[in-house]
Amino acid sequence: MASWDELVDSTLATLAGKNLLFMQRLITLPPPVPPSRTFAGPGPWDRPTVEIRLDGASTQEWLALNGLVSEEGDEVDRKVVLFSGNDYIGLATHPAVLEAAAKAAQGPGMGPRSSSLIFGYTTYHKLAEESLADLLKMEDCLLCPTGYAANTSVMSAIGSIISLSATGRNAAQDERIAIFSDAWNHASIIDGIRLAERQQEAVAFVYKHCDMSHLESLLSGCSMAKKVVVTDSLFSMDGDFAPLPELVKLRSKYGFLLVVDDAHGTFLCGENGGGIPEMFGCEDGIDICVGSLSKGGGCQGGFIACSIRWKKLIISRGRPFMFSSALPLPIIASLLAAIHVSKKEGWRRSLVWDHVKYFASLTKLNITSPIIPIIVGTEEAVLKAHRHLHRSGFLVIPIRPPVVPANSCRLRVSLSSAHTSDDIKRLVDALSPWLPTCASASRL
């Protein structure tokens, strides 16, 4: 089988021959001013990321929608501590991040409102891509409007290798790309694969969650030459990590393209915030790293970190990227500040992991990440637990089917550097009726 690099180069040559190889035209703007302030520890600006006020009328409507009768007090606006957010290291309200966004809004404004391929790409965007590529130890990077668009763009571009080589006919089964996907992958990955399948460019194989023996049996039994393995790095509903070192070993053995969605790991994991590949020391074994900027980055958008050749292909064939407007300049400016703060304030990552250890010590649960599922069981039970926590001063979102299987409904707790030890202690006290059930479920 030709290597993936050779396949991509051949596809790029085909596109060039048809005048379908696109590129971004760079609009030059005055460079953003680097942040002047970083801090040695938490400040009052961190608290608004987890302390919020809920509208009483909205709460009543939500209860009614879910079959719960409104009771006295539900109609009152209430301040609660949020334990279901994704702003893991508290950058969304950091003074440097807010200042960068404000300066951009007051200077060049929202920026060109257009697709990046028309005139939406500026020196701000280019600098952000270069900064992310450097952070993730990748050759290049491409910004997308959302993490969802990033995943579907990657799958769309991968599938285009087949559609371009089989012009005028449907590709035979063995000519298509075999995509092996973890059973618990994010919906954006699944939808991207479905798009490639529908266009008869790919065939999907689902392997049991983090089961490398099952994956290897599927790989060894597959006669299709072009293989891709795609996985989340940190699974958002269970808080467990994909075995990236084992996947990298299988990649060496079977020659597949390894795509990792590090949405919940970038900025949070690794000494420098380079994500879970950095944490496991296997950056060199990842071909494409997709991620979100709305979680650890505290901003908005998605990214695809990859080689230059893959970036060229995705720019030209990644339809969700191609047909979306570029991210606004204040968002890009805030992202650049967030990357800077993330590097300078490494204590934020350390504090999150201290919280993980503290939560584990209080609950005796076997947890390994800031995403902690408290398994409750039925939908009725998880809604009652959610209501109890709400009245206790916490917002913890109940997760139900179809997001998780029936009778595995859960409260999804996520920890942030903006939480305090007292927040965590009070939450654990409020959760105490459900912790024995959760402990039993975690041992199954």
Side-chain angles (χ1 to χ4, degrees), residues 80-124:
V80 296
V81 179
L82 174 64
F83 269 100
S84 284
N86 291 326
D87 185 16
Y88 297 114
I89 60 173
L91 296 183
T93 55
H94 192 285
V97 174
L98 301 184
E99 183 181 3
K103 285 183 177 178
Q106 294 165 0
M110 292 295 109
R113 298 292 73 219
S114 167
S115 163
S116 288
L117 294 182
I118 299 177
F119 58 88
Y121 189 65
T122 72
T123 45
Y124 276 52

Side-chain angles (χ1 to χ4, degrees), residues 38-51:
T38 55
F39 305 96
W45 46 82
D46 291 300
R47 195 62 184 170
T49 68
V50 295
E51 194 169 80

Side-chain angles (χ1 to χ4, degrees), residues 132-436:
L132 285 168
D134 179 67
L135 176 66
L136 300 169
K137 302 294 187 293
M138 285 286 193
E139 190 176 25
D140 211 332
C141 185
L142 181 67
L143 290 174
C144 292
T146 62
Y148 194 100
N151 267 324
T152 50
S153 292
V154 167
M155 292 301 148
S156 178
I158 288 173
S160 73
I161 292 173
I162 300 306
S163 59
L164 286 166
S165 63
T167 304
R169 64 179 178 84
N170 291 331
Q173 179 89 356
D174 61 355
E175 293 178 312
R176 298 175 192 175
I177 294 172
I179 302 179
F180 300 84
S181 175
D182 189 288
W184 292 0
N185 274 342
H186 190 265
S188 57
I189 296 174
I190 296 168
D191 287 355
I193 294 171
R194 286 173 175 168
L195 177 63
E197 281 190 298
R198 186 173 182 83
Q199 294 173 336
Q200 299 186 332
E201 298 166 332
V203 178
F205 299 85
V206 178
Y207 62 91
K208 297 175 185 177
H209 176 56
C210 290
D211 189 331
M212 295 299 97
S213 295
H214 186 220
L215 173 58
E216 183 161 19
S217 70
L218 292 174
L219 288 165
S220 62
C222 179
S223 61
M224 300 166 71
K226 307 175 187 70
K227 297 180 176 67
V228 175
V229 173
V230 57
T231 182
D232 282 6
S233 59
L234 174 56
F235 291 87
S236 61
M237 289 299 121
D238 286 77
D240 57 335
F241 295 100
L244 292 190
E246 294 179 56
L247 283 165
V248 169
K249 289 180 181 177
L250 289 177
R251 171 181 174 270
S252 298
K253 182 176 180 179
Y254 290 96
F256 56 74
L257 186 82
L258 180 55
V259 180
V260 173
D261 181 351
D262 198 37
H264 292 272
T266 306
F267 299 103
L268 170 66
C269 297
E271 182 179 353
N272 302 300
I276 293 167
E278 182 192 10
M279 185 176 77
F280 283 127
C282 59
E283 300 105 309
D284 291 344
I286 311 298
D287 295 295
I288 299 175
C289 184
V290 178
S292 168
L293 303 168
S294 61
K295 298 177 173 63
C299 298
Q300 180 62 38
F303 67 83
I304 305 165
C306 56
S307 66
I308 292 172
R309 54 168 56 87
W310 270 107
K311 180 176 179 177
K312 288 180 179 179
L313 181 60
I314 296 166
I315 284 174
S316 298
R317 303 302 284 182
R319 291 173 63 84
F321 162 79
M322 296 170 67
F323 296 102
S324 297
S325 291
L327 288 165
L329 288 182
I331 297 296
I332 301 301
S334 66
L335 168 61
L336 288 166
I339 295 171
H340 177 83
V341 171
S342 171
K343 291 178 179 179
K344 294 292 185 180
E345 298 185 11
W347 57 264
R348 291 180 175 273
R349 282 183 288 279
S350 299
L351 186 53
V352 176
W353 294 105
D354 288 344
H355 287 343
V356 172
K357 293 175 185 176
Y358 184 52
F359 194 101
S361 72
L362 292 175
T363 61
K364 310 305 178 186
L365 295 176
N366 181 25
I367 60 176
T368 58
S369 81
I371 300 172
I372 305 163
I374 306 298
I375 309 298
V376 174
T378 66
E379 292 190 55
E380 180 183 8
V382 80
L383 288 171
K384 289 181 178 179
H386 164 76
R387 185 176 200 164
H388 169 78
L389 290 178
H390 178 250
R391 290 180 172 178
S392 301
F394 303 102
L395 179 59
V396 183
I397 297 301
I399 307 297
R400 299 174 287 163
V403 179
V404 294
N407 297 317
S408 70
C409 297
R410 65 202 61 192
L411 298 164
R412 181 188 181 274
V413 173
S414 58
L415 303 178
S416 164
S417 63
H419 289 125
T420 65
S421 296
D422 182 63
D423 291 333
I424 295 169
K425 176 64 168 62
R426 292 191 300 108
L427 175 67
V428 170
D429 289 343
L431 282 170
S432 58
W434 295 277
L435 291 176

